[in-house]
Amino acid sequence: MTGTRVLVLNSGSSSLKYQLLDMRDSSRLAAGLVERIGEQTSRLKHTPLAAGGDAREADVPIADHDAALKAVAQELARDGLGLDSPDLAAIGHRVVHGGMFFTEPTVIDDAVIAEIERLIPVAPLHNPANLTGIRTARALRPDLPQVAVFDTAFHTTMPESAARYAIDPRIADRHRIRRYGFHGTSHAYVSRATAELLGKAPEDVNVIVLHLGNGASASAVRGGRCVDTSMGLTPLEGLVMGTRSGDMDPAVIFHLARVGGMSMDEIDTLLNKRSGLFGLCGDNDMREIRRRIDEGDEAAALAFDIYVHRLKKYIGAYYAVLGTVDAVAFTAGVGENAAPVREAAVAGLEGLGLAVDPGRNAVRGDRPRIVSPDSARVAVAVVPTDEELEIATQTYALVGKNT
Ligand code: ADP
């Protein structure tokens, strides 16, 4: 392997996010996003980080992912970072669902593509989009190693007691129903970075990771291995999220169908897109919710309380799962930025050794930091996540090993 650059691609159904990294120092050379692919006007935003200069934005028609990647390649070429460069060592793809089969990052070949395809029934929204990105990139650089990094892989170490639902295993197995978990790349990165922040090896610490973005999930990580996580068969289970309900009595669904007369698709949309913070108060952005609370808005205050109550329950549950806890790490948009959420989530948990220092908690920053008092038995940490760096690191390590 001669090159040192890795292109990270994250393809959604109508978007393509990318970053180009130089793995000699993990620096970012360029980053960008194509949105509204297939619509009349798509938008491409490209930031030439290595070259300096402002982001370039253009509203142009981009018909499909193939056209999107070609447009990205053109932008990169303008900065002297073309995808035909021998400096490019590999392309790393975020793939949402790897089922039980993919426990590690995997070099993509036809058999891997077929397996990701086989998982479409359990990830109908995500895997087809991820596959489109893979096919497009392979067509553009067929000679280059391409690696799939799975959101589910970090969670494949969960014991059966945590991964199984309490339903007939024959039915579960027939339909591949089990708890897979998501955001694994972030949970892996953040749990390792938290160990580093404590000055310890990942094998020597137990960490509860709270990934609180628009989607949100918690995980219990024992000695670097995931032993439980809050998302399940799909990302709908667990915490209250921006637009998802998280945990609910499954009978709510029967009730909505039988008594409410709603179709399965309507219920799916309700629970995934119109619930959570948004469903409760009409806003899913925590900044807006805090602003409304400051103005005395009761619906926003109740939404915040429901969000925090669920979060606190998961902290307690994962404390019990782990037995001893070294750190609780907050990450992603809400976890990294919303000091009131961190404060409220551990309020009253002094008996578990958890507390935040108000002064430390109020300080903003983009470095990992501890926000609990020195006297606390358990560290409360803010650890910014970096999924692109983790995908690039895993991709580069795998490609380096294979050449
Ligand atoms: P995702 O990757 O799931 O789309 P992010 O991790 O980027 O989400 O998180 C986005 C969310 O983070 C926003 O919806 C908002 O609620 C929250 N957020 C972002 N910045 C702040 C901030 N300064 N204060 C509070 N919440 C914030």
Side-chain angles (χ1 to χ4, degrees):
M1 183 173 67
T2 50
T4 58
R5 293 180 192 154
V6 173
L7 177 69
V8 176
L9 293 182
N10 181 353
S11 326
S13 54
S14 65
S15 69
L16 177 68
K17 283 191 213 151
Y18 62 94
Q19 284 195 9
L20 184 68
L21 292 95
D22 188 334
M23 299 317 292
R24 284 175 299 187
D25 57 0
S26 303
S27 62
R28 252 155 270 248
L29 303 173
L33 167 69
V34 188
E35 286 174 295
R36 304 198 294 266
I37 297 171
E39 292 180 30
Q40 241 162 20
T41 48
S42 319
R43 161 158 293 217
L44 193 160
K45 182 176 179 187
H46 175 84
T47 311
L49 297 161
D54 295 331
R56 302 195 286 267
E57 285 188 55
D59 285 331
V60 280
I62 294 180
D64 51 26
H65 281 74
D66 187 46
L69 189 59
K70 283 184 179 142
V72 169
Q74 251 173 22
E75 291 296 329
L76 289 167
R78 278 175 69 183
D79 303 329
L81 300 167
L83 296 187
D84 48 1
S85 161
D87 290 330
L88 187 62
I91 299 180
H93 296 267
R94 175 186 183 216
V95 179
V96 167
H97 217 309
M100 288 169 70
F101 187 76
F102 294 112
T103 58
E104 289 183 342
T106 306
V107 175
I108 297 169
D109 58 18
D110 291 343
V112 169
I113 289 183
E115 186 59 29
I116 297 172
E117 238 166 14
R118 246 168 43 86
L119 289 162
I120 287 176
V122 281
L125 294 180
H126 293 105
N127 276 25
N130 301 155
L131 277 168
T132 306
I134 290 172
R135 290 201 174 100
T136 306
R138 279 182 106 205
L140 204 66
R141 280 296 308 270
D143 54 315
L144 199 67
Q146 315 237 355
V147 173
V149 179
F150 300 93
D151 261 26
T152 46
F154 184 61
H155 304 304
T156 54
T157 51
M158 280 197 289
E160 288 295 280
S161 53
R164 286 246 174 218
Y165 291 109
I167 61 173
D168 183 338
R170 288 165 302 185
I171 294 175
D173 290 347
R174 188 178 320 141
H175 301 291
R176 289 201 261 190
I177 295 171
R178 61 188 278 119
R179 308 190 56 257
Y180 294 101
F182 298 90
H183 292 144
T185 311
S186 177
H187 287 283
Y189 177 86
V190 170
S191 57
R192 253 198 349 262
T194 305
E196 201 175 305
L197 180 66
L198 300 182
K200 296 195 173 161
E203 300 76 50
D204 297 332
V205 292
N206 291 349
V207 185
I208 296 172
V209 178
L210 304 171
H211 177 110
L212 311 178
N214 203 23
S217 63
S219 68
V221 184
R222 174 180 290 134
R225 290 164 68 87
C226 179
V227 292
D228 205 351
T229 194
S230 60
M231 285 178 167
L233 173 73
T234 77
L236 184 55
E237 192 179 342
L239 299 173
V240 176
M241 312 184 204
T243 64
R244 296 190 192 113
S245 62
D247 294 336
M248 255 183 11
D249 181 345
V252 170
I253 295 165
F254 318 146
H255 192 82
L256 287 172
R258 289 182 189 135
V259 181
M262 290 175 76
S263 71
M264 275 304 151
D265 284 347
E266 285 169 341
I267 299 172
D268 191 331
T269 303
L270 174 75
L271 299 183
N272 274 298
K273 303 227 167 86
R274 308 195 58 79
S275 295
L277 291 169
F278 177 79
L280 286 164
C281 74
D283 270 308
N284 59 329
D285 191 311
M286 193 52 82
R287 285 164 288 201
E288 189 56 19
I289 289 170
R290 291 303 308 174
R291 195 192 58 72
R292 284 173 55 186
I293 293 172
D294 289 342
E295 286 176 352
D297 186 314
E298 285 179 16
L302 180 59
F304 184 85
D305 289 348
I306 294 170
Y307 183 93
V308 167
H309 179 75
R310 183 83 52 84
L311 195 54
K312 197 174 268 198
K313 286 205 324 196
Y314 269 92
I315 295 173
Y318 287 172
Y319 208 117
V321 166
L322 291 169
T324 58
V325 177
D326 297 284
V328 174
F330 286 85
T331 195
V334 175
E336 291 167 31
N337 296 300
V341 170
R342 298 192 294 262
E343 187 185 324
V346 302
L349 301 185
E350 295 80 9
L352 297 179
L354 282 163
V356 295
D357 174 277
R360 286 181 181 176
N361 193 36
V363 176
R364 302 182 66 83
D366 52 13
R367 306 286 311 155
R369 57 197 183 274
I370 289 174
V371 298
S372 45
D374 292 335
S375 58
R377 264 191 293 133
V378 179
V380 178
V382 180
V383 180
T385 191
D386 196 336
E387 289 165 276
E388 289 78 15
L389 175 60
E390 180 70 15
I391 292 172
T393 305
Q394 294 193 12
T395 298
Y396 194 61
L398 183 60
V399 170
K401 217 161 47 186
N402 287 355
T403 47

